[in-house]
PDB file of all heavy atoms in Angstrom:
ATOM      1  N   THR L 132     -91.305 -58.897  -2.645  1.00 96.00           N
ATOM      2  CA  THR L 132     -91.764 -57.555  -2.999  1.00 96.00           C
ATOM      3  C   THR L 132     -93.014 -57.614  -3.869  1.00 96.00           C
ATOM      4  O   THR L 132     -94.012 -56.944  -3.581  1.00 96.00           O
ATOM      5  CB  THR L 132     -90.646 -56.782  -3.730  1.00 96.00           C
ATOM      6  OG1 THR L 132     -89.499 -56.710  -2.866  1.00 96.00           O
ATOM      7  CG2 THR L 132     -91.088 -55.388  -4.120  1.00 96.00           C
ATOM      8  N   VAL L 133     -92.986 -58.422  -4.905  1.00 97.00           N
ATOM      9  CA  VAL L 133     -94.123 -58.503  -5.826  1.00 97.00           C
ATOM     10  C   VAL L 133     -95.330 -59.150  -5.150  1.00 97.00           C
ATOM     11  O   VAL L 133     -96.450 -58.624  -5.200  1.00 97.00           O
ATOM     12  CB  VAL L 133     -93.724 -59.267  -7.110  1.00 97.00           C
ATOM     13  CG1 VAL L 133     -94.949 -59.577  -7.967  1.00 97.00           C
ATOM     14  CG2 VAL L 133     -92.701 -58.470  -7.903  1.00 97.00           C
ATOM     15  N   ASN L 134     -95.115 -60.284  -4.489  1.00 97.00           N
ATOM     16  CA  ASN L 134     -96.238 -61.010  -3.885  1.00 97.00           C
ATOM     17  C   ASN L 134     -96.905 -60.229  -2.756  1.00 97.00           C
ATOM     18  O   ASN L 134     -98.131 -60.177  -2.674  1.00 97.00           O
ATOM     19  CB  ASN L 134     -95.788 -62.381  -3.386  1.00 97.00           C
ATOM     20  CG  ASN L 134     -95.443 -63.319  -4.525  1.00 97.00           C
ATOM     21  OD1 ASN L 134     -95.943 -63.168  -5.637  1.00 97.00           O
ATOM     22  ND2 ASN L 134     -94.583 -64.280  -4.257  1.00 97.00           N
ATOM     23  N   VAL L 135     -96.112 -59.627  -1.894  1.00 96.00           N
ATOM     24  CA  VAL L 135     -96.684 -58.870  -0.779  1.00 96.00           C
ATOM     25  C   VAL L 135     -97.385 -57.614  -1.297  1.00 96.00           C
ATOM     26  O   VAL L 135     -98.463 -57.259  -0.806  1.00 96.00           O
ATOM     27  CB  VAL L 135     -95.601 -58.517   0.265  1.00 96.00           C
ATOM     28  CG1 VAL L 135     -96.100 -57.494   1.262  1.00 96.00           C
ATOM     29  CG2 VAL L 135     -95.138 -59.772   0.978  1.00 96.00           C
ATOM     30  N   THR L 136     -96.804 -56.968  -2.288  1.00 97.00           N
ATOM     31  CA  THR L 136     -97.447 -55.780  -2.857  1.00 97.00           C
ATOM     32  C   THR L 136     -98.805 -56.138  -3.452  1.00 97.00           C
ATOM     33  O   THR L 136     -99.808 -55.457  -3.189  1.00 97.00           O
ATOM     34  CB  THR L 136     -96.544 -55.135  -3.928  1.00 97.00           C
ATOM     35  OG1 THR L 136     -95.320 -54.729  -3.314  1.00 97.00           O
ATOM     36  CG2 THR L 136     -97.214 -53.941  -4.577  1.00 97.00           C
ATOM     37  N   ILE L 137     -98.857 -57.201  -4.217  1.00 97.00           N
ATOM     38  CA  ILE L 137    -100.123 -57.584  -4.863  1.00 97.00           C
ATOM     39  C   ILE L 137    -101.124 -58.128  -3.848  1.00 97.00           C
ATOM     40  O   ILE L 137    -102.268 -57.672  -3.779  1.00 97.00           O
ATOM     41  CB  ILE L 137     -99.866 -58.597  -5.995  1.00 97.00           C
ATOM     42  CG1 ILE L 137     -99.113 -57.904  -7.131  1.00 97.00           C
ATOM     43  CG2 ILE L 137    -101.180 -59.188  -6.503  1.00 97.00           C
ATOM     44  CD1 ILE L 137     -98.617 -58.837  -8.203  1.00 97.00           C
ATOM     45  N   LEU L 138    -100.701 -59.090  -3.036  1.00 97.00           N
ATOM     46  CA  LEU L 138    -101.632 -59.693  -2.073  1.00 97.00           C
ATOM     47  C   LEU L 138    -102.075 -58.670  -1.026  1.00 97.00           C
ATOM     48  O   LEU L 138    -103.269 -58.549  -0.733  1.00 97.00           O
ATOM     49  CB  LEU L 138    -101.000 -60.909  -1.386  1.00 97.00           C
ATOM     50  CG  LEU L 138    -101.872 -61.623  -0.364  1.00 97.00           C
ATOM     51  CD1 LEU L 138    -103.145 -62.165  -1.027  1.00 97.00           C
ATOM     52  CD2 LEU L 138    -101.101 -62.732   0.303  1.00 97.00           C
ATOM     53  N   GLY L 139    -101.134 -57.935  -0.470  1.00 96.00           N
ATOM     54  CA  GLY L 139    -101.483 -56.913   0.518  1.00 96.00           C
ATOM     55  C   GLY L 139    -102.376 -55.841  -0.076  1.00 96.00           C
ATOM     56  O   GLY L 139    -103.342 -55.400   0.545  1.00 96.00           O
ATOM     57  N   GLY L 140    -102.067 -55.428  -1.298  1.00 97.00           N
ATOM     58  CA  GLY L 140    -102.881 -54.424  -1.966  1.00 97.00           C
ATOM     59  C   GLY L 140    -104.295 -54.910  -2.236  1.00 97.00           C
ATOM     60  O   GLY L 140    -105.268 -54.165  -2.055  1.00 97.00           O
ATOM     61  N   LEU L 141    -104.426 -56.169  -2.657  1.00 97.00           N
ATOM     62  CA  LEU L 141    -105.771 -56.729  -2.872  1.00 97.00           C
ATOM     63  C   LEU L 141    -106.559 -56.813  -1.574  1.00 97.00           C
ATOM     64  O   LEU L 141    -107.763 -56.526  -1.550  1.00 97.00           O
ATOM     65  CB  LEU L 141    -105.671 -58.111  -3.526  1.00 97.00           C
ATOM     66  CG  LEU L 141    -105.340 -58.117  -5.015  1.00 97.00           C
ATOM     67  CD1 LEU L 141    -105.090 -59.532  -5.499  1.00 97.00           C
ATOM     68  CD2 LEU L 141    -106.446 -57.452  -5.819  1.00 97.00           C
TER      69      LEU L 141
END
Side-chain angles (χ1 to χ4, degrees):
T132 301
V133 170
N134 291 335
V135 168
T136 299
I137 292 171
L138 180 61
L141 284 173

